[in-house]
């Protein structure tokens, strides 16, 4: 259905069963009919709320019955439920005291879109990046054992997250220790954000096909009808038949399909229908009684219950406000400049058609990194390695040694997971791998786990690594062209989420002078030396200052490493005041690099210097514009800091004052 019947404008809409649920304990007394209605209420509430404010969507719709079954059977928070990645936790939040808060999810000051320990005792662990739940659960299980507890540990991990190597390290460890009261649930929907890939996905597909084969379904139906038709005890035997038919898959399959998990030391159950509440409860009860760790494979449909999300789960993974009746997003992008992601994707395709050595790599994020077009037009040089960032980096290193020009398109936050391979396998050998870091800076509503505000700090400290940040979408094109053709070592290009500045795109590529910045605007009283999209913010701040009688210059650093020392040293002679501005942590960031340069050349006695950036704290969720304002990185905030600095005030908000 399309939920055409829930289009009321009443913000205080009633949900017959959900409105009675203030915590998991309220589920224990519900009848089977009420539990089914609760599932319908949860889906309706999610559609109602997220269609208005946006947020993660399809994943939560897919785990409604599973979430209800878990909270019906287990005693949260005594029993520990851990959601891998966490974007599917909206039903969990609705059942654990936050049903009136879903309308604030991912909004500034509202609840998080992910489990957060500060939010609820039922949020056992703060998740965000994939593949971590099994390791966390194992740690909780061993802590329980050390304290002589007997609570159940229940991690829920998606099939997409099983493409991450961390998950296998945990599986290996858990099975080896024969962990008790431990039920791992494999939420198998054939997706991470995009379609899941890899040999494990093919293996799980075989299991799904087996469970849904006509022979198995037909035999189950015939067995059920036969046993229910028996005289005298037909109804009782009919109930027993439900349990018997659920095991029929394994009775009729010569080669046990769950053997991989059993070789890891798990008792394998499934695959079962993740939208059949009765079947879920039956199998979870069975899992509770099994000695040793259990892995239960649950087949779900991402976007379940909302037709448009079921048909296009990738688009509806995370949404902006949309029309429930049509599935159309309400946020119009017509007339807006193209997104940096789009410009990157189009540019890489253009370059790859001219150079057969260019290879594109993504770690399960073809849509988010802009590589869908590349995958369709040049599939033979496109690789989606799954949620395996370390492998992506080392794979790129091998390609580079083999004479190719690998381009790894990855979110800034996810490159953190490949820090060691970047050092050990790429930079140590000075290999020409290009990293294109999407979502650099403050990403907005996804919050602390996803802000790309550390990359300048953790990449700048690595020898041989070069780092760039374009001031606009046109410069991004030239940086990509320059990087893939430079060939003298590894390079990273960082750029933000969202639309570009709106400048025209040059048809012809040009090579940027390596390690050189540019003067964008001249001034008198001070100069902003800015990185990436902070250049446009500083230009707007300079205009605000001009109206106050202050002439500010603006330098586009372009290169964070190697630093354009000549240009930046000249600025310290041309201006009495220098302010660096970056969308990165102040610790170890661009400002620190400039500060060290000025100190080495004894310039700090002749100028006033300060840096603007992200303070030493994790920034939570909210719109990108709101977070920039909160950090003093909006044009008004930058201008106010400059005026305060010029006036000689010693304490500057969110700045390092020297």
């Amino acid at each position: 259905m399309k939920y055409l019947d829930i289009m009321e404008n009443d913000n205080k809409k009633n949900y017959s069963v959900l409105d009675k649920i203030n915590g998991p304990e309220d589920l224990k007394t519900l009848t089977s009919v009420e539990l089914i209605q609760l599932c319908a209420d949860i889906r309706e509430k999610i559609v109602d709320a997220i269609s208005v404010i946006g947020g993660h969507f399809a994943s939560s719709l897919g785990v409604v019955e599973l979430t209800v079954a878990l909270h019906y059977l287990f005693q949260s928070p005594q029993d520990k439920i851990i959601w891998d990645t966490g974007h599917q936790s909206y039903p969990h939040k609705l059942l654990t005291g936050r049903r009136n808060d879903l309308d604030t999810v991912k909004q500034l000051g509202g609840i998080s879109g992910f489990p957060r320990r500060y939010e609820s005792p039922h949020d056992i662990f703060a998740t965000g990046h994939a593949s971590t739940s099994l390791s966390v659960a194992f740690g909780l299980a061993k802590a329980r054992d050390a304290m002589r507890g007997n609570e159940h540990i229940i991690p829920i991990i998606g099939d997409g997250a099983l493409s991450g190597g961390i998950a296998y390290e945990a599986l290996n460890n858990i099975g080896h220790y024969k962990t008790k009261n431990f039920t791992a649930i494999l939420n198998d929907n054939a997706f991470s954000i995009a379609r899941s890939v890899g040999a494990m996905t093919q293996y799980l597909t075989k299991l799904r096909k087996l469970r849904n084969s006509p022979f198995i379904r037909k035999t189950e139906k015939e067995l059920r009808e036969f046993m229910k038709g028996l005289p005298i005890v037909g109804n009782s035997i009919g109930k027993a038949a439900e349990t018997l038919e659920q095991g029929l898959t394994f009775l009729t399959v010569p080669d046990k399909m769950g053997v991989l998990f059993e070789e890891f030391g798990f008792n394998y159950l499934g695959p079962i229908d993740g939208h059949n509440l009765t079947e879920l409860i039956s199998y979870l009860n069975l899992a509770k009684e099994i000695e040793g760790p259990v892995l239960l494979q649950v087949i779900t449909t991402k976007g379940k219950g909302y037709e448009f999300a079921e048909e296009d789960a990738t688009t509806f993974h995370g949404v902006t406000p949309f029309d429930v009746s049509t599935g159309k997003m309400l946020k119009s992008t017509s007339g807006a400049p193209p997104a940096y992601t789009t410009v990157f994707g189009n540019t890489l395709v253009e370059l790859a058609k001219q150079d057969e050595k260019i290879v594109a790599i993504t770690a399960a994020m073809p849509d988010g990194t802009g590589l869908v077009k590349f995958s369709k037009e040049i599939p033979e040089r496109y690789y989606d390695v799954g949620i395996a960032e370390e492998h992506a980096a080392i794979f790129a290193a091998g390609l580079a040694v083999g004479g190719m020009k690998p381009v790894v398109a990855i979110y800034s936050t996810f490159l953190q997971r490949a820090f060691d391979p970047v050092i050990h396998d790429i930079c140590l050998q000075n290999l020409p791998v290009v990293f294109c870091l999407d979502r650099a800076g403050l990403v907005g509503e996804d919050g602390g786990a996803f802000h790309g505000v550390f990359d300048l700090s953790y990449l700048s400290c690595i020898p041989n690594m070069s780092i760039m940040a374009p001031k606009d979408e046109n410069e991004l094109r030239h940086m990509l062209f320059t990087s893939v053709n430079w060939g003298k070592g590894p390079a990273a290009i960082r750029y933000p989420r969202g639309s570009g500045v709106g400048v025209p795109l040059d048809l012809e590529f040009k090579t940027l002078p390596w390690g050189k910045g540019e003067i964008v605007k001249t001034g008198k009283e001070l100069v902003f030396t800015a990185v990436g999209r902070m250049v446009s913010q500083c230009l707007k701040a300079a205009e605000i200052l001009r109206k106050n009688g202050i002439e500010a210059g603006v330098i586009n650093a372009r290169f964070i490493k190697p630093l354009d020392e000549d240009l930046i040293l000249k600025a310290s002679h041309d201006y009495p005041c220098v302010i660096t501005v970056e969308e990165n942590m102040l610790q170890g960031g661009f400002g620190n690099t400039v500060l060290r340069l000025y100190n080495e050349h004894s310039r700090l006695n002749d100028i006033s210097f300060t840096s603007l950036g992200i303070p030493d704290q994790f920034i939570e969720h909210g719109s990108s514009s709101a977070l920039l304002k909160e950090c003093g990185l909006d044009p008004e905030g930058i201008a106010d800091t400059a005026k305060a600095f010029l006036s000689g005030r010693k304490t500057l908000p969110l700045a390092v004052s020297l």
Side-chain angles (χ1 to χ4, degrees):
M1 61 179 174
K2 297 188 178 72
Y3 278 93
L4 296 177
D5 56 330
I6 64 169
M7 291 301 293
E8 298 92 343
N9 292 320
D10 182 9
N11 291 328
K12 296 182 179 179
K13 184 175 177 180
N14 294 322
Y15 304 90
S16 60
V17 180
L18 179 60
D19 286 345
K20 303 174 185 177
I21 305 300
N22 296 309
E25 65 279 0
D26 294 328
L27 275 72
K28 315 301 183 187
T29 60
L30 296 182
T31 66
S32 58
V33 172
E34 288 173 321
L35 287 171
I36 291 171
Q37 181 57 47
L38 176 60
C39 292
D41 286 356
I42 291 172
R43 280 202 172 84
E44 198 168 318
K45 174 66 175 177
I46 291 172
V47 172
D48 288 347
I50 305 308
S51 64
V52 174
I53 61 173
H56 286 108
F57 185 62
S59 299
S60 287
L61 292 179
V63 296
V64 171
E65 287 83 5
L66 175 59
T67 307
V68 168
L70 287 170
H71 282 296
Y72 175 74
L73 278 178
F74 293 97
Q75 305 295 324
S76 176
Q78 291 78 24
D79 293 327
K80 307 294 191 283
I81 300 172
I82 306 104
W83 296 94
D84 200 283
T85 309
H87 55 237
Q88 76 285 58
S89 63
Y90 293 6
H92 165 78
K93 289 178 183 261
L94 288 173
L95 296 177
T96 53
R98 288 164 282 183
R99 59 181 170 82
N100 294 324
D101 299 322
L102 191 63
D103 296 332
T104 72
V105 69
K106 301 176 76 171
Q107 308 300 299
L108 188 65
I111 63 172
S112 173
F114 300 85
R116 289 292 177 262
R117 295 179 66 211
Y118 63 77
E119 233 179 65
S120 170
H122 298 279
D123 291 3
I124 302 301
F125 197 83
T127 50
H129 292 188
S131 311
T132 62
S133 62
L134 294 172
S135 296
V136 171
F138 183 53
L140 286 165
K142 291 295 103 180
R144 172 204 62 198
D145 295 346
M147 297 181 182
R148 295 178 175 82
N150 63 354
E151 67 268 21
H152 288 267
I153 312 294
I154 312 101
I156 300 97
I157 185 168
D159 58 299
L162 273 186
S163 63
I166 303 170
Y168 294 94
E169 295 172 25
L171 285 172
N172 185 49
N173 220 199
I174 295 163
H176 174 73
Y177 282 93
K178 304 186 186 306
T179 311
K180 68 176 185 178
N181 289 358
F182 190 101
T183 301
I185 297 173
L186 172 55
N187 174 34
D188 186 358
N189 62 16
F191 275 90
S192 49
I193 293 177
R195 281 278 178 188
S196 299
V197 297
M200 175 54 72
T201 295
Q202 295 171 9
Y203 174 74
L204 295 175
T205 298
K206 290 179 182 178
L207 291 178
R208 286 193 296 270
K209 288 180 178 179
L210 175 66
R211 178 71 173 95
N212 294 300
S213 70
F215 170 73
I216 294 296
R217 290 301 186 188
K218 181 174 181 291
T219 306
E220 285 179 350
K221 181 179 179 182
E222 290 175 351
L223 177 63
R224 181 170 58 250
E225 295 304 318
F226 170 74
M227 296 188 74
K228 285 182 178 179
L230 290 176
I232 305 175
V233 292
N235 288 337
S236 298
I237 290 185
K239 292 179 181 178
E242 292 179 0
T243 301
L244 179 58
E245 69 183 60
Q246 288 160 5
L248 186 62
T249 298
F250 307 106
L251 295 174
T252 54
V253 181
D255 296 315
K256 198 171 184 181
M257 296 297 288
V259 67
L260 173 63
F261 299 112
E262 298 220 336
E263 288 298 320
F264 270 111
F266 280 77
N267 298 284
Y268 172 78
L269 298 175
I272 66 169
D273 182 357
H275 302 297
N276 184 323
L277 199 55
T278 301
E279 193 171 8
L280 279 167
I281 292 172
S282 175
Y283 264 87
L284 286 170
N285 263 322
L286 175 61
K288 289 173 70 174
E289 301 303 318
I290 294 177
E291 184 74 22
V294 175
L295 188 140
L296 172 61
Q297 184 183 2
V298 174
I299 309 300
T300 61
T301 300
K302 192 171 182 179
K304 180 70 173 179
Y306 183 66
E307 182 179 344
F308 300 112
E310 289 189 34
E311 293 173 352
D312 188 358
T314 299
T315 295
F316 281 90
H317 172 81
V319 296
T320 57
F322 63 93
D323 185 315
V324 176
S325 63
T326 65
K328 300 294 183 184
M329 304 298 159
L330 299 178
K331 185 178 179 181
S332 174
T333 56
S334 60
Y340 281 94
T341 302
T342 302
V343 173
F344 160 75
N346 291 339
T347 301
L348 190 61
V349 168
E350 191 176 343
L351 292 173
K353 287 182 177 179
Q354 299 171 11
D355 187 341
E356 293 184 352
K357 291 186 176 182
I358 292 176
V359 176
I361 304 168
T362 182
M365 303 291 287
D367 295 87
T369 59
L371 288 182
V372 170
K373 182 177 181 180
F374 196 109
S375 70
K376 292 178 179 178
E377 297 191 16
I378 318 174
E380 68 277 9
R381 283 184 277 141
Y382 164 79
Y383 296 93
D384 183 346
V385 301
I387 302 175
E389 294 85 0
E390 288 181 276
H391 166 57
I394 301 169
F395 171 52
L399 285 166
V401 169
M404 302 300 284
K405 297 179 178 179
V407 176
V408 181
I410 189 169
Y411 287 9
S412 169
T413 186
F414 294 139
L415 186 61
Q416 294 163 192
R417 313 186 96 187
F419 185 60
D420 178 69
V422 169
I423 295 175
H424 178 269
D425 301 288
I426 295 173
C427 291
L428 188 64
Q429 303 182 82
N430 201 30
L431 297 177
V433 175
V434 177
F435 292 96
C436 293
L437 309 189
D438 204 318
R439 270 68 167 176
L442 295 167
V443 298
E445 290 82 358
D446 284 342
F450 295 91
H451 294 313
V453 295
F454 304 101
D455 54 80
L456 294 186
S457 301
Y458 70 72
L459 291 177
S460 291
C461 68
I462 309 175
N464 294 330
M465 175 62 78
S466 296
I467 313 168
M468 293 158 273
K471 72 178 186 293
D472 56 43
E473 60 270 38
N474 187 50
E475 192 165 76
L476 171 59
R477 282 172 55 81
H478 298 313
M479 281 186 177
L480 187 56
F481 172 77
T482 301
S483 298
V484 296
N485 290 301
W486 183 54
K488 296 180 181 179
I493 308 171
R494 75 185 312 255
Y495 45 92
R497 180 182 191 177
S499 298
V501 177
V503 298
L505 301 180
D506 296 337
L507 295 178
E508 297 293 326
F509 291 110
K510 64 181 180 183
T511 301
L512 299 177
W514 201 260
K516 295 297 179 181
E518 64 172 351
I519 298 171
V520 179
K521 181 184 181 300
T522 58
K524 294 180 181 178
E525 285 88 348
L526 76 145
V527 63
F528 297 113
T529 305
V531 172
R533 75 166 165 178
M534 289 297 101
V535 173
S536 62
Q537 298 285 76
C538 288
L539 285 170
K540 293 173 183 176
E543 180 59 23
I544 294 172
L545 292 171
R546 186 189 65 79
K547 293 177 181 178
N548 286 269
I550 300 171
E551 292 296 330
V554 178
I555 290 174
N556 170 24
R558 272 188 183 160
F559 284 79
I560 295 87
K561 186 183 179 187
L563 196 65
D564 189 343
E565 296 186 357
D566 293 339
L567 178 62
I568 291 174
L569 284 171
K570 185 175 185 300
S572 71
H573 290 279
D574 293 344
Y575 295 91
C577 177
V578 178
I579 301 176
T580 63
V581 188
E582 62 191 299
E583 204 173 346
N584 187 83
M585 301 301 293
L586 286 167
Q587 281 73 14
F590 174 71
N592 276 12
T593 304
V594 174
L595 175 63
R596 186 173 64 250
L597 176 70
Y598 284 160
N599 183 56
E600 290 172 353
H601 289 266
S602 303
R603 298 300 305 144
L604 294 175
N605 292 328
D606 300 317
I607 62 169
S608 297
F609 175 84
T610 193
S611 295
L612 283 175
I614 308 299
D616 187 20
Q617 65 188 64
F618 288 105
I619 307 299
E620 282 298 334
H621 52 273
S623 68
S624 180
S625 58
L627 296 182
L628 286 171
K629 183 175 182 179
E630 193 173 79
C631 292
L633 295 175
D634 61 320
E636 293 76 16
I638 295 170
D640 287 345
T641 296
K643 286 187 286 185
F645 194 56
L646 287 173
S647 69
R649 273 170 50 183
K650 298 298 183 184
T651 304
L652 299 177
L654 305 181
V656 174
S657 183
L658 296 170

